[in-house]
Amino acid sequence: MKRIEGVALRAGGARFELLDQTRLPEAEVWLDATDPEAMVGHIQRLSVRGAPLIGVAAALSVASLAERGADGPALHRALRRLREARPTAVNLAWAMDRLRAVLDRGGSAADLVREAEAIHDEDVAACERMGELGAALVRPGEQLLTHCNAGALATAGIGSALGVIHRAHARGLGIHVWVNETRPLLQGARLTAWELRRLGIPHTLVTEGMDGTLFRAGKVNRVVVGADRIARNGDVANKVGTYTVAVLARAHGVPFHAVAPWSTVDLACPSGESIPIEQRGAEEVRGARGVRWAAADASAFNPAFDVTPAALVTSLITERGVVEGEQLAAGGLARLA
Ligand code: MRU
């Protein structure tokens, strides 16, 4: 396998390694992900996360298994297990299906490696293109708000929503970013703030409960978020809390953009109603990172994602182009297929 040195993964050396995102921002610890069964655990614990990145990382892990001489049944088992590791981000199933198609047509280990590398490289290129397309919409001095983490820690490249922010900053637009903490697993506070700091992009952390205050005070000019699955009609599944931001944006006349590579679009899904939403454990809501503040037996609800209806989306930004909200209901997304 060729050498890959990303922000969140390293491949092509003796080990396939992932940056353990559960340890950020305090510690930069690299995990061995050479064994796909270990990779299933890393995905489920969110050591590796973000829709595009879990597809890329799972593909590279299967490719490294093939390189080490695994037989067909072992490779099929790994693809099946990884495909089911998390249900909402369609990128994972999409990547595993691409590798399965290689196996089904009798492909060799070298063919699998080439396909996994292509999945990686395509995501890097998609991030660049989305970054340019999105940055072209941003006006000088704007204040942007983002939710969760859709950056280099969630993709193979510069990120989707954060790629737009990255490129807007690089154009010298003088932007400032409001970073939603993102309860319950704090991807905004821990990961997005870590990335923006490394990039030198001015930002301020807020908890989601403060969003209404920001919008009402006119302090948010544009919302950019990522996506885990986009249905044919333009409904967007993303980290829970995104829908609330979209409602606020609409109420205050602020543009709301979902930014995602084409691998996140699921044309087989007619609407958000058919997107499976991952339900996670109650302990993630009762506390975080080893500290519990609710009663040990407090009943808790923990859907990891929500669905923003297409009607609230100003535009979807993919590497294939920008689809305006009004075009979504008229099948505008499928026209890019
Ligand atoms: O549960 P996570 O951290 O994997 O959720 C990630 C998100 O919701 C991101 O916004 C999405 O995957 C897009 S990443 C480019």
Side-chain angles (χ1 to χ4, degrees):
M1 193 182 304
K2 71 174 183 177
R3 193 117 202 142
I4 295 172
E5 299 266 353
V7 173
L9 52 82
R10 294 177 183 154
R15 305 195 323 162
F16 172 43
E17 294 182 313
L18 297 172
L19 181 61
D20 184 352
Q21 298 193 27
T22 67
R23 304 287 302 276
L24 289 173
E26 289 86 6
E28 293 180 28
V29 177
W30 288 84
L31 296 170
D32 186 353
T34 313
D35 168 27
E37 200 50 42
M39 176 62 99
V40 171
H42 297 327
I43 291 173
Q44 291 175 338
R45 278 191 299 279
L46 272 55
S47 291
V48 57
R49 47 148 299 282
L53 187 66
I54 57 177
V56 169
L60 291 171
S61 145
V62 173
S64 86
L65 184 69
E67 255 186 344
R68 282 175 287 123
D71 60 13
L75 291 168
H76 275 292
R77 194 165 48 249
L79 287 172
R80 228 178 11 254
R81 290 275 299 140
L82 284 162
R83 197 182 192 284
E84 287 162 8
R86 290 187 82 187
T88 303
V90 72
N91 314 61
L92 181 57
W94 166 87
M96 297 300 88
D97 291 349
R98 274 182 66 165
L99 293 191
R100 201 187 50 210
V102 172
L103 277 181
D104 289 349
R105 57 173 184 265
S108 63
D111 293 327
L112 281 175
V113 169
R114 261 192 301 279
E115 189 72 0
E117 288 173 350
I119 289 170
H120 171 274
D121 295 351
E122 288 166 21
D123 193 57
V124 173
C127 287
E128 291 296 331
R129 181 80 187 126
M130 292 185 288
E132 292 302 334
L133 289 172
L137 303 172
V138 178
R139 306 272 70 91
E142 277 191 353
Q143 305 217 52
L144 295 98
L145 183 140
T146 193
H147 187 74
C148 194
N149 172 268
L153 289 168
T155 62
I158 60 169
S160 55
L162 279 199
V164 169
I165 287 169
H166 190 146
R167 286 293 175 250
H169 174 74
R171 287 181 182 205
L173 292 175
I175 57 167
H176 168 265
V177 184
W178 297 106
V179 178
N180 265 358
E181 174 188 49
T182 318
R183 278 284 291 145
L185 295 177
L186 312 173
Q187 288 92 332
R190 296 188 301 102
L191 309 178
T192 298
W194 181 82
E195 284 199 39
L196 292 177
R197 189 192 176 98
R198 278 167 49 117
L199 295 168
I201 300 177
H203 62 282
T204 306
L205 181 61
V206 288
T207 65
E208 285 88 289
M210 299 168 191
D211 286 349
T213 301
L214 289 180
F215 277 98
R216 225 173 124 70
K219 289 184 185 296
V220 182
N221 306 115
R222 193 175 297 280
V223 175
V224 282
V225 295
D228 285 80
R229 192 183 297 227
I230 301 176
R232 189 181 188 89
N233 71 344
D235 289 352
V236 176
N238 191 47
K239 178 55 56 195
V240 68
T242 301
Y243 171 55
T244 322
V245 176
V247 171
L248 275 169
R250 177 55 54 93
H252 292 275
V254 169
F256 175 97
H257 310 280
V259 190
W262 193 255
S263 54
T264 303
V265 174
D266 185 359
L267 294 176
C269 229
S271 76
E273 293 294 308
S274 35
I275 298 178
I277 301 294
E278 176 184 4
Q279 301 292 322
R280 297 184 60 89
E283 67 288 350
E284 290 179 352
V285 180
R286 295 188 191 116
R289 312 192 89 198
V291 180
R292 179 169 50 73
W293 46 78
D297 60 353
S299 164
F301 176 50
N302 190 10
F305 302 95
D306 62 23
V307 174
T308 296
L312 295 179
V313 174
T314 307
S315 68
L316 289 179
I317 300 170
T318 80
E319 74 276 25
R320 295 191 182 188
V322 178
V323 187
E324 301 298 331
E326 308 85 65
Q327 298 164 3
L328 290 171
L333 196 53
R335 275 199 288 280
L336 292 183

